[in-house]
Amino acid sequence: MASEITDLNDGDSGTQYCSERFRLTLRSSRIVAWVMAAAWPLVVANVAFAEQEPLPPSPQTASADSADEGSLIGSGLTLADLIGIAEGSSPNLRQASADIEMARGHWDQAGRYPNPILMSGTQQLNAGQSQYLAMLSQEIVTKHKLELQQCAAERALYQAELKFLRRRFDLLTAVRQAYFATLAAEKRVDVLTRLVEIARKSQAAAQKLQDAGEGTRGDTLLLNIELEKAEVALENAQTALAAWRRQLAAVIGQRSLQIEGVSGQLTIALDEFAAQIAVDDYVPRNANVQIAEQEITRSEFLARRADVEPFPNVTVQSGYMYQVEPLHNYGILQLSVPLPIWNRNQGNRYAAQAAVGRAIETVQQVQNDIARQMADATGRFRQADQQVRRFEQKILPQSRESVSVAQQGFQQGQFDFLRLLQSQRTLVESSLGYLTSLENRWMAAAEMAGIAQVEEFP
């Protein structure tokens, strides 16, 4: 970069190098950003222990601004559907796009040459000795000041495009997490509904036993309490589901969309995804890191611009003067140059050099922050993944076996009905724990994908 700045100061070839190189960089980065924003396939299905339902028709995706509040209905939405809606409706992306256009305007303006100044008037008004003149002045900018300003502005434009990319992945992470939270909430309502049914059967069986004189009032009260707890849990789950659906609609930028359901699967294996994140060198590719790296170069251009500020610009004035008495016609030529005696831009040069040092340290800070975020998300992912494996390999199979044994024992008269209901309730509660572990794993995986800027998820 030091050689680039030296070239800019030495001649026109350096100026052309800076402009051509960064225009090519900017064009390629725009192409990459918009190609990455294209549609992509995403794998989504349903929970293993929940019954698969047929998918409803595709939802309406009209703009929320053109419909009455609550008039749009969405059901059976997949993650790909939701991301497609979000990318077309998110005000965050539109803001980031506007920031790019603002930066492009600043880049264009930074290289504009000063306008010439036209002046007219009279030297003196005294009858035959009156003099009338017209003059044109132009400031000549020296030491490639405009080129340096435009190179710094090009870097700011590149940063704006990277910020668009970062906002897009932030949006993808938010949509992914809200989607999987909603999907898990729907499955949790299904499981708790079955738990309430089991609790009601248990309570009814206990009441019959008490009425027949074979049970106690204490057993009946305990099962009544279990039923109340199950109903409260179901009500809370239904409330949480409604809240997540509203949050999901807001995240995708369609707050008036009434989401009646999402379709997908929580039990997809994530081993390949986790291995990819572990192998890929995600830190240098993260947009925040690249933004910080571009800030170093931008600061270096601004520092060079501050260094050449004391070199004065030259103002050339030329014109024509007419005098009433002969001789009538006169030509005028003037040069003016400010003398850098008292102000050599010392303070701004010192501040610009400090900004370069600060930008260099910021890169390390951002890299450390990205690594910390990934370590935290990876740790939560590993914990949830371990729990999922334990549920799949041990807890759920044993819970199912317990139900099977209890059913056989009940049919053979070895176990009573309450024992069978208890084993069924244990299976449902294990399924709830499994569902929570799956949700936690997906939430952490979505965060990891956002940090690593992964398009194909999962």
Side-chain angles (χ1 to χ4, degrees):
M1 184 48 60
S3 63
E4 295 177 15
I5 297 177
T6 303
D7 290 343
L8 281 173
N9 190 39
D10 290 344
D12 293 337
S13 61
T15 302
Q16 295 173 358
Y17 169 80
C18 170
S19 299
E20 291 175 2
R21 179 186 178 190
F22 291 123
R23 286 193 183 96
L24 288 174
T25 303
L26 288 167
R27 282 199 296 268
S28 63
S29 66
R30 295 188 198 107
I31 293 172
V32 170
W34 289 111
V35 168
M36 292 175 68
W40 58 89
L42 294 169
V43 182
V44 284
N46 207 347
V47 175
F49 51 81
E51 294 182 358
Q52 185 71 33
E53 297 179 355
L55 299 181
S58 299
Q60 299 179 8
T61 56
S63 173
D65 296 334
S66 62
D68 295 333
E69 186 73 18
S71 62
L72 298 179
I73 304 296
S75 61
L77 292 168
T78 66
L79 181 56
D81 294 333
L82 293 166
I83 289 177
I85 296 173
E87 289 190 320
S89 305
S90 173
N92 290 340
L93 292 187
R94 290 197 293 269
Q95 286 178 345
S97 180
D99 289 341
I100 293 176
E101 296 307 314
M102 290 170 57
R104 183 173 289 112
H106 293 156
W107 165 79
D108 180 77
Q109 187 62 35
R112 298 286 179 177
Y113 218 80
N115 289 326
I117 300 175
L118 177 63
M119 300 176 293
S120 65
T122 176
Q123 288 282 88
Q124 62 182 9
L125 289 173
N126 186 15
Q129 297 181 354
S130 297
Q131 298 174 335
Y132 305 95
L133 57 86
M135 297 186 64
L136 187 68
S137 67
Q138 176 65 57
E139 181 182 6
I140 300 176
V141 182
T142 62
K143 302 297 288 185
H144 303 295
K145 295 186 181 77
L146 295 180
E147 288 85 344
L148 287 168
Q149 289 178 183
Q150 193 166 41
C151 284
E154 282 177 325
R155 290 296 172 167
L157 175 55
Y158 192 20
Q159 287 177 313
E161 293 176 329
L162 288 169
K163 289 177 182 178
F164 176 91
L165 188 63
R166 183 64 263 165
R167 284 199 188 186
R168 178 174 174 271
F169 277 104
D170 289 342
L171 175 64
L172 291 182
T173 300
V175 174
R176 289 164 177 170
Q177 289 185 330
Y179 163 78
F180 284 111
T182 303
L183 182 59
E186 291 181 356
K187 305 308 176 185
R188 188 173 289 109
V189 168
D190 294 340
V191 173
L192 287 171
T193 299
R194 295 201 296 273
L195 180 59
V196 168
E197 293 174 355
I198 292 174
R200 285 174 179 167
K201 291 180 180 179
S202 300
Q203 189 271 342
Q207 186 65 50
K208 289 180 179 179
L209 289 175
Q210 180 185 350
D211 295 341
E214 299 178 3
T216 65
R217 176 62 177 168
D219 292 339
T220 304
L221 289 175
L222 287 176
L223 290 174
N224 285 340
I225 294 173
E226 288 293 323
L227 176 58
E228 292 292 336
K229 290 167 60 178
E231 289 177 343
V232 168
L234 176 59
E235 291 174 358
N236 290 340
Q238 291 170 339
T239 301
L241 172 59
W244 273 115
R245 286 174 174 174
R246 290 194 297 270
Q247 288 186 48
L248 181 57
V251 166
I252 64 176
Q254 293 280 353
R255 65 182 184 277
S256 62
L257 180 65
Q258 294 183 359
I259 298 178
E260 292 187 343
V262 295
S263 64
Q265 192 174 37
L266 292 173
T267 56
I268 299 174
L270 295 176
D271 296 340
E272 184 177 350
F273 165 78
Q276 176 187 356
I277 295 296
V279 172
D280 287 350
D281 191 7
Y282 59 86
V283 172
R285 295 186 292 106
N286 187 277
N288 286 340
V289 175
Q290 294 186 57
I291 290 170
E293 291 172 344
Q294 294 304 316
E295 183 62 22
I296 295 177
T297 310
R298 193 182 78 89
S299 299
E300 288 175 341
F301 279 122
L302 292 177
R304 183 64 186 126
R305 176 64 180 83
D307 288 339
V308 299
E309 179 64 24
F311 293 91
N313 294 339
V314 179
T315 301
V316 180
Q317 293 179 320
S318 62
Y320 167 78
M321 184 175 69
Y322 175 80
Q323 181 172 283
V324 174
E325 293 183 350
L327 299 170
H328 298 295
N329 302 313
Y330 295 88
I332 302 174
L333 179 63
Q334 295 179 344
L335 298 177
S336 61
V337 178
L339 301 179
I341 297 176
W342 317 118
N343 181 4
R344 297 187 179 90
N345 205 37
Q346 297 95 324
N348 289 336
R349 291 160 62 188
Y350 183 83
Q353 290 297 331
V356 174
R358 186 181 188 279
I360 293 174
E361 297 301 325
T362 299
V363 172
Q364 185 70 24
Q365 175 191 353
V366 173
Q367 289 175 339
N368 292 337
D369 189 53
I370 295 299
R372 179 193 60 79
Q373 294 177 23
M374 181 62 81
D376 177 66
T378 303
R380 287 184 279 110
F381 173 83
R382 295 299 181 191
Q383 290 175 354
D385 189 59
Q386 290 171 0
Q387 293 175 350
V388 168
R389 293 179 186 276
R390 182 61 62 91
F391 273 105
E392 291 176 344
Q393 297 172 3
K394 299 289 186 179
I395 299 175
L396 285 177
Q398 291 178 2
S399 298
R400 295 189 184 103
E401 183 181 0
S402 175
V403 172
S404 178
V405 170
Q407 287 175 340
Q408 293 177 3
F410 177 73
Q411 292 172 358
Q412 297 172 3
Q414 297 176 357
F415 299 145
D416 58 16
F417 184 64
L418 293 178
R419 177 75 173 271
L420 174 60
L421 292 177
Q422 179 61 39
S423 63
Q424 291 176 340
R425 182 163 56 244
T426 300
L427 175 59
V428 173
E429 291 173 349
S430 299
S431 298
L432 282 175
Y434 177 51
L435 184 58
T436 299
S437 299
L438 286 170
E439 179 184 5
N440 293 337
R441 186 175 69 169
W442 278 113
M443 298 292 276
E447 186 174 346
M448 293 166 61
I451 295 173
Q453 299 177 177
V454 174
E455 286 283 347
E456 296 292 338
F457 182 80

